[in-house]
Amino acid sequence: LAKTTQPISMDSYEGQEVNITCSHNNIATNDYITWYQQFPSQGPRFIIQGYKTKVTNEVASLFIPADRKSSTLSLPRVSLSDTAVYYCLVGVGFSGGYNKLIFGAGTRLAVHP
Amino acid sequence: DAGVIQSPRHEVTEMGQEVTLRCKPISGHDYLFWYRQTMMRGLELLIYFNNNVPIDDSGMPEDRFSAKMPNASFSTLKIQPSEPRDSAVYFCASSLLGIAGGPSSYNEQFFGPGTRLTVL
């Protein structure tokens, strides 16, 4: 089954920009790319999503190249509270006729003072 | 809305016992997902329902696992008999109808707080 691939962990310092890339070679043509954030002892929560090019909201930006086989989550000027695990989620084609939703393994981001 | 509600929050049981996890999705949502999270395997989709009907259970690890959704406001995940390797955090999530008639990452999934299961 198709997988998504992301770095296991990243370290950064307060005020820096962090970019996390997810590879998803078999993304379904009709599906989006969504990123989630998870804090310890909580369920994942939605951060941002996009279909192509660039999307920006109040907390992050998402860059998607034309072939859509990867995406990059960009967190501007991170703070200690951004320390969390970040997951990408995509749909891939499934023989059952529906897209199968696949979460990446997650990237553990540690922000240091 | 109170969000997705799961119970219990923590469950400790002994190998061989039956375990039932419960979930109340957000009212009006069309999809309900059950996930299992472990350090080794990350977030795994076990099964999802559309309008109370199980659609894809290919992630259910084996026959010891079963899930039901008797109505739009309640779902259960049952493990019988439980084994130590079932120890994990189990999340329930719900979302609205996806694009193209099926589940899509387009529709935000709202996760519950999870049930931490420990099987001794």
Side-chain angles (χ1 to χ4, degrees), chain A residues 7 37 39 49 51-54 57 60 66 71-72 74 77-78 82-83 94 103 108:
Chain A
Q37 176 190 55
F39 296 113
Q49 71 175 186
Y51 185 79
K52 58 182 179 181
T53 63
K54 176 184 174 182
N57 63 19
S71 59
T72 299
S74 181
R77 298 179 297 283
V78 294
D82 294 317
T83 294
F94 184 52
F103 270 98
R108 189 173 300 273

Side-chain angles (χ1 to χ4, degrees), chain A residues 21-41:
Chain A
T21 296
C22 178
S23 298
H24 31 76
N25 291 328
N26 294 327
I27 183 173
T29 55
N30 64 349
D31 210 347
Y32 281 63
I33 300 155
T34 307
W35 284 79
Y36 287 78
Q37 176 190 55
Q38 185 179 27
F39 296 113
S41 301

Side-chain angles (χ1 to χ4, degrees), chain A residues 30-32 34 49 87 100, chain B residues 37 56 58 99 104-106:
Chain A
N30 64 349
D31 210 347
Y32 281 63
T34 307
Q49 71 175 186
Y87 296 91
K100 191 169 185 69
Chain B
Q37 186 174 45
D56 180 5
S58 60
I99 57 176
S104 164
S105 87
Y106 173 78

